[in-house]
């Protein structure tokens, strides 16, 4: 076990030192508040496989596909540097063998690992996978994060709960296609119009078959962790096997029964969960990729090899985001009930802030501000408060906020609190940037976000000219992807970026969440944003892989959105 120094120490000592990690993992699994953990909730109640309700072309019983195939391995939370370190270490033999000898500049004998590939903003699970499997940014595809507020229907969404604790939307995500129903553009599966199987991923609208893991696996782990029965390697192994390896087993059974698909999507949620909960998160992630992800990948590749199908199957590795280490304490967690959080600041400024809950009672409907979180980023949605001045009065959310009296009033309150620590000392120095914009009329395209410089809103590029921030990768373009389009309003009126840069000391980083973790993500920082995008073909040419990847890129910078055109190109070849 190279990733966790705790495990290399003597037995008694290791158990003692492992305790905080175990408690964190147990709490995470039990409470289901964090990234990925919500899968536990789902898989305890369901599991197995299901044909997707309205598959595009075929049912699972149709004859197996022939022709060029693609497997997309979706490595949740795997940073580009971490995956490359695992591949180069010699401890991820299956992935390394597929790629062959490294030749430099991302080219391997049989594959290409594109450098500098970026996630969309926020660098948070649901928004990133939605962008990856539609090829469109949040402002166009309609899914802006792990949490968001639909002001038109006054509905709070939390497919991955960050500020709320209710996991009902998580269950709906795999049971009744919650995310697919919100997507306003065709998915990759719908564009492909070929047989496609999805293992575990929450974006499956239009796919032929969705497979998930059996419920008993998860029930066993959660029970064991909560009761403290699992220790050391057993705990780590159980988590990985349940979340990732068992998912693989299930999809292999599906292949046995139904034959191969043209597109197979394999989602590994365990990497993200493990990273959040590990005291040395980035090194721990490398170890996890070596020990568990590589093994699961190897099983899938071996199944294709046995069917004599591997040489005709392109393999893609991609992730949704990376991680930035954080302090695992309540001083740095700015959740709904914490002093110094945006919730507290806006309340202190006189806004009636919506309770952090998926659903509200009838007496709680008079809120004037709504906050949704993506970890390091939070969205603020504001009402025109002239429509609901009295306590108990429901705001008219069909109207936009007033720019000066509502939007800028909130912006100035957040800015002043961050500068001065007034009125709440704990809020001082917790925010990096505040973005806002002129409100759009209903059904109008939202304005692009600008940065508040202390006096006024200024275009992002102008702000960056005066205040260079090389740590925030492609900030202006990615904020346009988030806010500038037909569904850009779903990212709110104000976006708050927590102080979270990987270039500042860990004790100066903050996050907007209910759960304390050893790492978070969601920001434009390069540590959260630089994701792997690898294309490989067993026995193929790495130089050819590079050509293919370079030719599909729609913009100057490769992003995870390029996966959709990449798969369409490969299967069309
Ligand atoms: Zn994720």
């Amino acid at each position: 076990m190279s990733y966790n120094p705790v495990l290399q120490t003597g037995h008694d000592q290791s158990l003692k030192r492992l305790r905080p990690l175990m408690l964190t993992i147990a709490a995470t699994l039990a409470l289901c508040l964090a990234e990925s953990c919500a899968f536990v909730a789902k898989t305890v109640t369901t599991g197995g496989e299901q044909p997707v309700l309205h598959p595009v072309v075929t049912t699972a019983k149709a004859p197996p596909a022939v022709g060029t195939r693609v497997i997309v391995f979706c490595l949740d939370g795997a940073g580009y540097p971490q995956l490359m370190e695992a591949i180069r270490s010699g401890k991820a033999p299956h992935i390394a063998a597929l790629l062959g000898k490294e030749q430099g500049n991302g080219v391997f004998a049989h594959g290409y690992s594109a450098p500098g590939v970026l996630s969309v903003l926020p660098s948070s699970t649901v928004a990133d996978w939605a962008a990856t499997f539609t090829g469109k940014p949040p402002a166009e595809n309609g899914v802006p994060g792990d949490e968001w507020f639909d002001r038109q229907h006054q509905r709070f969404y939390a497919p991955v709960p960050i500020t709320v604790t209710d996991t009902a939307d998580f269950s709906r995500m795999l049971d009744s296609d919650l995310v697919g129903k919100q997507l306003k553009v065709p998915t990759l599966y719908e564009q492909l119009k070929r047989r496609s199987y999805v293992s575990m991923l929450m974006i499956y609208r239009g796919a032929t078959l969705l497979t998930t893991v059996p419920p008993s696996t998860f029930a066993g782990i959660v029970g064991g962790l909560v009761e403290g029965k699992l220790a050391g390697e057993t705990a780590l192994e159980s988590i990985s096997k349940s979340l990732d390896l068992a998912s693989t087993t299930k999809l292999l059974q599906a292949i046995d029964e139904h034959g191969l698909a043209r597109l197979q999507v394999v989602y590994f949620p365990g990497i993200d969960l493990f990273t959040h909960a590990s005291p040395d998160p980035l090194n721990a992630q490398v170890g996890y990729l070596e020990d568990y992800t590589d093994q699961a990948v190897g099983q899938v590749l071996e199944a294709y090899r046995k069917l004599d199908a591997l040489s005709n199957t392109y393999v893609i590795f991609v992730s949704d985001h990376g991680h930035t280490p954080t302090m695992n304490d309540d001083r740095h967690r700015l959740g709904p009930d914490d002093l110094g959080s945006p919730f507290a600041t806006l309340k202190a400024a006189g806004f009636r802030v919506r309770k952090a809950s998926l659903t509200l009672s009838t007496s709680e409907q008079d809120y004037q501000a709504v906050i949704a979180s993506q970890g390091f980023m939070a969205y603020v949605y504001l009402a025109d408060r002239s429509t609901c001045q009295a306590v108990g009065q429901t705001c008219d959310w069909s109207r936009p906020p007033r720019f000066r009296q509502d939007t800028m009033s909130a912006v100035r309150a957040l800015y002043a609190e961050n500068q001065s620590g007034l009125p709440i000392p704990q809020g001082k120095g917790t925010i990096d940037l505040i973005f806002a914009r002129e409100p759009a009329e209903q059904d109008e395209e939202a304005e692009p976000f600008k940065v508040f410089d202390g006096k006024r809103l200024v275009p992002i590029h102008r702000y960056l000219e005066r205040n260079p921030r090389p740590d925030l990768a492609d900030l202006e373009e990615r904020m346009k992807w988030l806010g500038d389009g037909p569904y850009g309003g779903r990212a709110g009126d104000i976006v708050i970026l927590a102080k979270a840069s990987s270039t500042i000391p860990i004790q100066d980083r903050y996050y907007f969440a209910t759960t304390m973790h050893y790492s978070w993500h969601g920001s434009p920082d390069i540590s959260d944003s630089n994701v792997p995008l690898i294309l490989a073909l067993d026995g193929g040419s790495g130089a050819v892989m590079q050509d293919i990847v370079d030719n599909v890129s729609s913009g100057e910078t490769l992003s995870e959105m390029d996966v959709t055109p990449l798969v369409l190109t490969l299967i069309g070849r």
Side-chain angles (χ1 to χ4, degrees):
M1 295 290 147
S2 58
Y3 45 86
N4 195 336
V6 164
L7 298 176
Q8 294 170 335
T9 58
H11 185 66
D12 289 344
Q13 192 60 18
S14 80
L15 273 182
K16 203 184 287 173
R17 292 175 58 193
L18 191 63
R19 235 195 140 107
L21 169 65
M22 298 226 9
L23 288 174
T24 307
I25 294 171
T28 307
L29 288 169
L31 297 174
C32 261
L33 301 178
E35 294 275 307
S36 315
C37 72
F39 277 92
V40 174
K42 150 75 188 174
T43 41
V44 166
T45 55
T46 63
E49 66 179 49
Q50 63 189 77
V52 174
L53 270 184
H54 303 289
V56 174
V57 281
T58 176
T59 69
K61 293 291 180 190
V66 290
T68 305
R69 299 181 190 87
V70 175
I71 305 171
V72 183
F73 288 106
C74 301
L75 316 180
D76 202 296
Y80 169 80
Q82 285 72 44
L83 182 60
M84 295 314 293
E85 187 180 337
I87 290 170
R88 288 169 180 144
S89 72
K91 296 174 189 166
H94 300 99
I95 302 174
L98 175 71
L99 289 173
K101 197 170 167 16
E102 186 167 6
Q103 297 171 344
N105 298 321
V107 180
F108 290 72
H110 310 302
Y112 175 59
S113 174
V117 180
L118 294 177
S119 70
V120 300
L121 288 179
S123 47
S124 304
T125 304
V126 182
D128 287 296
W129 292 125
T132 302
F133 284 91
T134 60
K136 299 292 179 196
E140 285 181 49
N141 74 38
V143 173
D146 286 351
E147 292 185 341
W148 72 92
F149 179 62
D150 176 350
R151 63 187 298 142
Q152 201 183 345
H153 301 98
Q154 292 178 58
R155 161 77 154 96
F156 193 89
Y157 286 90
V160 173
I162 308 285
T163 64
V164 305
T165 54
D166 190 331
T167 55
D169 271 359
F170 177 82
S171 301
R172 292 183 189 112
M173 189 161 67
L174 286 183
D175 284 342
S176 53
D177 199 14
L178 176 117
V179 179
K181 285 173 183 164
Q182 292 301 312
L183 283 173
K184 305 299 182 186
V185 295
T187 62
L188 169 58
Y189 324 111
E190 289 165 337
Q191 296 175 54
L192 185 64
K193 297 186 172 66
R194 301 281 201 284
R195 171 188 282 242
S196 49
Y197 298 166
V198 175
S199 173
M200 299 280 282
L201 191 73
M202 73 292 285
I203 314 293
Y204 55 85
R205 193 185 76 198
T208 316
L209 191 72
L210 171 68
T211 55
T212 53
V213 304
S216 55
T217 320
F218 281 91
I221 287 177
V222 175
L225 278 167
V226 172
E227 289 166 24
K229 283 181 187 163
L230 303 178
E233 294 176 36
T234 314
L236 303 167
E237 218 173 323
S238 299
I239 288 163
S240 74
K241 277 186 176 160
S242 302
L243 287 170
D244 296 344
L245 299 183
S247 147
T248 310
T249 307
K250 190 62 218 159
L251 91 83
L252 295 177
Q253 287 166 359
I255 290 172
D256 259 0
E257 193 177 335
H258 307 295
L260 297 172
R262 294 295 290 276
L263 170 63
Q264 174 72 61
V265 172
V266 188
Y267 180 48
F268 295 136
I271 306 162
D272 183 70
L273 173 61
F274 183 79
T275 308
H276 276 296
S278 296
D280 183 10
L282 300 183
N283 286 325
Q285 180 176 102
V286 174
Y288 187 98
L289 291 165
E290 292 168 351
D291 290 350
Y292 302 121
T293 309
D294 183 68
Q295 187 187 340
V297 167
Q299 287 178 5
V300 177
L301 298 182
E302 186 53 30
Y304 273 67
R305 189 175 278 121
K306 275 188 185 151
L307 292 167
D308 207 17
L310 192 58
S311 62
N312 200 23
T313 301
Y314 289 93
V315 180
I316 294 171
F317 297 91
V318 66
S319 86
D320 49 345
H321 54 79
H323 278 254
T324 299
T326 51
M327 301 291 284
N328 182 37
D329 63 32
D330 57 9
R331 173 73 189 93
H332 295 84
R333 172 202 69 182
L334 301 175
D337 300 325
D338 293 312
L339 290 168
S341 78
F343 285 81
T345 302
L346 290 182
K347 275 180 205 166
F351 288 82
R352 295 199 300 270
V353 180
R354 187 185 184 279
K355 184 178 156 190
S357 176
L358 203 54
T359 54
L360 299 177
S361 68
T362 46
S363 65
E364 295 169 322
Q365 304 288 345
D366 66 343
Y367 53 86
Q368 301 166 320
V370 182
I371 299 176
S373 181
Q374 323 302 333
F376 287 139
M377 268 187 166
Y379 302 162
V380 182
Y381 308 76
L382 295 163
D384 174 346
R385 289 183 291 170
S386 70
T387 67
C388 49
Q389 283 171 334
V391 173
Q393 205 175 359
T394 302
C395 300
D396 179 1
W397 283 91
S398 70
R399 289 170 62 160
R402 298 161 302 169
F403 181 60
R404 194 171 57 80
Q405 299 97 320
D406 301 313
T407 304
M408 291 312 293
S409 171
V411 165
R412 289 181 196 284
L414 291 161
Y415 187 87
E417 168 63 47
N418 188 53
Q419 292 293 111
S420 64
L422 292 172
I424 307 166
Q426 289 87 343
K428 186 175 181 181
T430 58
I431 294 175
D432 187 346
L433 294 172
I434 301 171
F435 304 88
R437 53 184 168 186
E438 295 266 359
E441 289 297 327
Q442 187 79 30
D443 297 332
E444 265 185 29
E445 288 205 6
E447 294 272 308
F449 281 108
K450 295 176 177 176
V451 183
F452 186 63
D453 70 356
K455 293 194 178 77
R456 63 188 74 82
L457 297 178
V458 297
I460 294 174
H461 63 86
R462 197 175 307 156
Y463 177 85
L464 292 176
E465 279 164 17
R466 292 180 200 148
N467 307 276
R469 290 295 301 272
D471 53 326
L472 306 180
D474 269 11
L475 181 66
E476 182 162 46
E477 182 172 25
R478 294 163 79 210
M479 285 302 287
K480 274 188 188 157
W481 290 347
L482 175 63
D484 197 1
Y487 300 96
R490 290 189 172 190
D493 301 297
I494 301 171
V495 172
I496 311 169
L497 175 63
K499 253 192 196 163
S501 173
S502 59
T503 62
I504 62 175
I506 188 170
Q507 61 270 21
D508 294 339
R509 300 176 198 152
Y510 296 86
Y511 45 96
F512 308 124
T514 313
T515 309
M516 300 183 291
H517 276 313
Y518 292 104
S519 65
W520 263 103
H521 50 83
S523 85
D525 185 86
I526 196 71
S527 181
D528 289 359
S529 304
N530 185 196
V531 295
L533 174 53
I534 298 177
L535 175 65
L537 178 65
D538 187 48
S541 152
V544 172
M545 300 303 124
Q546 181 180 18
D547 273 352
I548 296 171
V549 171
D550 286 349
N551 285 331
V552 299
S553 174
S554 48
E556 280 177 24
T557 310
L558 275 169
S559 85
E560 55 200 12
M561 290 188 283
D562 291 309
V563 167
T564 283
L566 179 58
V567 172
L568 293 171
T569 301
L570 291 169
I571 292 186
R573 279 167 81 88

